[in-house]
Amino acid sequence: MYNKNVLISGAGIAGTALAFWLNRFGFNPTIIEYAPELRKGGYAIDFMGAGFDVAEKMGIIPALQNADLNISSIAFVNKDNKVKGSMNYQKIKKALNNRAFTLLRSDLAKIIYQSLDGETEVIFGDTITEIEQDEEKVIVTFKSGITRSFDLLVGADGLHSNVRNLIFGAETQFEKYYGYYTSSFTIDDFADDGRAFSMFNVPGKQVAVYSLNVEKTATFFIFSSPEKLNYKYHDIETQKRILKNEFINAGWKCVALLSGIDATSDFYFDSISQINMEHWSKGRIILVGDAGCCPSLLSGKGSTLAMVGAYILAGELKLANGDYKMAFTEYENIFKPFIDKKQKSAQSFAKSFVPKSNFGIWIRNQAFRIMSFPLFTNILFRQFNDKALVLKNY
């Protein structure tokens, strides 16, 4: 087998899943991660569809089941915490043959990472500053000053991919901003509504809470912003200040929720954007997950599709016996048409994602009442059906 030594930038869902499959298929992956440890926080995700199929192949379904937040219902409430629209989430899972979980992104990444069983070299607290490639290798220089050579380099480093910026150019060429920002963090000892995913709206803003356990409650904020905000990606204090300014006077439980923002250790804040690229590879370098084709929070599929993409890329490298040109081409041929459809579907949802008027909030609440009926539940969740993508058994 050729080109066995693969450097993966990013220890998130895409990067760890790719390392898992490369190990399984006889390659020698190394992961480099900017953060000093596995990242914490991030919002809850619906885990289903083709990602569930990949997780089965990995043998991690029991671990995912243990991490399932076991949400009982999705409920929209008013400022007095009275339910104005709801949907039984357990019925939704039943409609999907119980092939669905609700997971924290960080829990999913942790479970995949643990499944590596120490077989992969992982470098935390470092990043790539320079990349050179020729016909035989990729030479990378790390921020720590170390220079190393690999056969292939995979950028699995998310929406703000460092590898993409170094090889393909500035993020602005590929990012499509959809007019929203999202944030999440956990707080201690907060009275919640049991296992409900409770959401409150005012025009252009939405906040939700859901229980992680008896001690911790997770928050989930979304707000609209016609223009992109000016702040540094790693400037957490500025991001917290932005969120406070947006929600401190919104009502409901917002004051109490925001009072825990300074003590939290898992604060997350980012724009809701997609990454659209014509091609995901250049020479011996390729992108996977959000780095190359972020479908955004609007799709409800980002994390699961990252796992699927990692599986297909590793599988095609195996089938090609390490011939990266053949494998990269086939990876795009299989996966890109599917991703393009998912991104377009998410785009059509963008304008109605968070209601921007009181009338829009009322309409959404009524729609949720209707969606509680089994027939409409099945129609709603057809978008999570990935039958258009048939996974090979590599």
Side-chain angles (χ1 to χ4, degrees), residues 148-169:
R148 290 178 61 175
S149 175
F150 296 87
D151 296 319
L152 303 172
L153 169 61
V154 181
D157 41 358
L159 175 65
H160 306 291
S161 170
N162 179 45
V163 171
R164 188 186 63 235
N165 289 340
L166 290 171
I167 296 300
F168 295 88

Side-chain angles (χ1 to χ4, degrees), residues 79-329:
K79 61 184 178 62
D80 300 315
N81 209 42
K82 183 178 179 181
V83 175
K84 307 302 290 185
S86 67
M87 180 182 291
N88 187 316
Y89 195 75
Q90 295 303 314
K91 287 185 178 179
I92 294 171
K93 292 174 73 171
K94 187 176 181 180
L96 295 168
N97 297 318
N98 291 314
R99 296 177 63 81
F101 300 124
T102 305
L103 307 167
L104 289 179
R105 285 172 60 101
S106 53
D107 283 347
L108 176 58
K110 181 180 179 181
I111 288 168
I112 300 172
Y113 177 79
Q114 291 173 338
S115 72
L116 298 178
D117 293 329
E119 296 179 358
T120 299
E121 178 189 11
V122 183
I123 304 165
F124 284 106
D126 209 348
T127 189
I128 300 169
T129 56
E130 294 182 23
I131 303 171
E132 297 180 12
Q133 65 172 318
D134 56 31
E135 289 297 317
E136 296 181 353
K137 60 189 176 300
V138 180
I139 301 171
V140 296
T141 301
F142 299 157
K143 188 176 182 180
S144 59
I146 297 172
T147 297
R148 290 178 61 175
S149 175
F150 296 87
D151 296 319
L152 303 172
L153 169 61
V154 181
D157 41 358
L159 175 65
H160 306 291
S161 170
N162 179 45
V163 171
R164 188 186 63 235
N165 289 340
L166 290 171
I167 296 300
F168 295 88
E171 183 174 301
T172 52
Q173 299 177 65
F174 312 110
E175 181 192 15
K176 172 63 177 176
Y177 170 62
Y178 279 99
Y180 301 96
Y181 281 82
T182 184
S183 180
S184 63
F185 56 91
T186 59
I187 54 177
D188 298 329
D189 303 320
F190 184 85
D192 58 29
D193 299 314
R195 286 294 177 182
F197 189 97
S198 298
M199 288 184 276
F200 169 73
N201 276 95
V202 293
K205 303 184 199 307
Q206 180 172 294
V207 58
V209 294
Y210 51 101
S211 175
L212 301 181
N213 52 48
V214 293
E215 298 176 348
K216 281 194 173 291
T217 297
T219 68
F220 179 44
F221 295 83
I222 301 172
F223 65 92
S224 63
S225 175
E227 304 295 330
K228 287 207 71 179
L229 303 177
N230 185 22
Y231 65 90
K232 293 182 179 179
Y233 176 54
H234 295 293
D235 187 351
I236 302 298
E237 292 310 309
T238 297
Q239 294 168 13
K240 288 180 178 180
R241 187 165 61 251
I242 291 170
L243 191 67
K244 287 179 182 178
N245 290 339
E246 288 288 339
F247 284 92
I248 196 65
N249 296 315
W252 193 48
K253 303 179 180 181
C254 289
V255 171
L257 294 173
L258 292 171
S259 68
I261 196 172
D262 293 321
T264 190
S265 61
D266 56 6
F267 183 79
Y268 170 87
F269 184 97
D270 210 342
S271 64
I272 295 180
S273 301
Q274 288 185 346
I275 295 296
N276 294 283
M277 302 181 69
E278 186 175 351
H279 294 289
W280 299 331
S281 67
K282 185 174 287 188
R284 292 175 169 269
I285 301 163
I286 193 163
L287 305 174
V288 69
D290 284 356
C293 56
C294 176
S296 85
L297 173 65
L298 298 169
S299 72
K301 301 284 290 184
S303 299
T304 55
L305 293 180
M307 290 181 66
V308 174
Y311 172 71
I312 294 172
L313 176 58
E316 292 304 321
L317 280 166
K318 175 193 174 184
L319 289 184
N321 202 36
D323 182 337
Y324 70 91
K325 293 181 181 179
M326 182 185 298
F328 289 179
T329 298

